[in-house]
Amino acid sequence: MLGVIVFPGKTTQSPPPNIVKEVEEKAMEYAIEYERKNGRKPEDVSKREHYDIKSIDPETGEIRYIEVKGHWDLNITAELTEEEYNFGKSISDKYWL
């Protein structure tokens, strides 16, 4: 899944903290809505886990562990913390970025 929300203006500088928070919130909203539209039951677990969304497909039982990254500009890179990386590596194909 790839979604892009573009905020007009210069993108060569880091955005102010309130914009960073808004971008992160919009990215989470987008990912949760995507999961719902595709029949899964997403839950925001970002405050207590090393990933952001736990999403379960009620028909198949498949569990997706989703790390969400929102970006200010069109530079599509993602940095993971060591904990995020290790968790993703430990569950392999169940980890979605």
Side-chain angles (χ1 to χ4, degrees), residues 2-5 7 11 13 22 25 32 43-44 59-61 63 67 95:
L2 176 63
V4 177
I5 299 170
F7 288 88
T11 60
Q13 297 177 359
E22 182 179 350
E25 289 171 356
I32 286 171
E43 175 188 1
D44 180 346
E59 290 186 24
T60 66
I63 300 175
E67 177 62 36
Y95 191 74

Side-chain angles (χ1 to χ4, degrees), residues 37-69:
K37 283 182 178 178
N38 285 279
R40 291 178 285 275
K41 306 253 184 235
E43 175 188 1
D44 180 346
V45 296
S46 60
K47 302 283 190 249
R48 63 180 187 273
E49 301 291 348
H50 294 298
Y51 58 97
D52 296 310
I53 299 169
K54 182 177 182 179
S55 187
I56 301 172
D57 186 322
E59 290 186 24
T60 66
E62 174 196 16
I63 300 175
R64 292 181 177 197
Y65 301 90
I66 303 169
E67 177 62 36
V68 177
K69 298 294 182 185

Side-chain angles (χ1 to χ4, degrees), residues 22-34:
E22 182 179 350
V23 168
E24 290 171 353
E25 289 171 356
K26 293 290 184 189
M28 283 290 288
E29 289 171 14
Y30 184 89
I32 286 171
E33 184 60 26
Y34 179 89

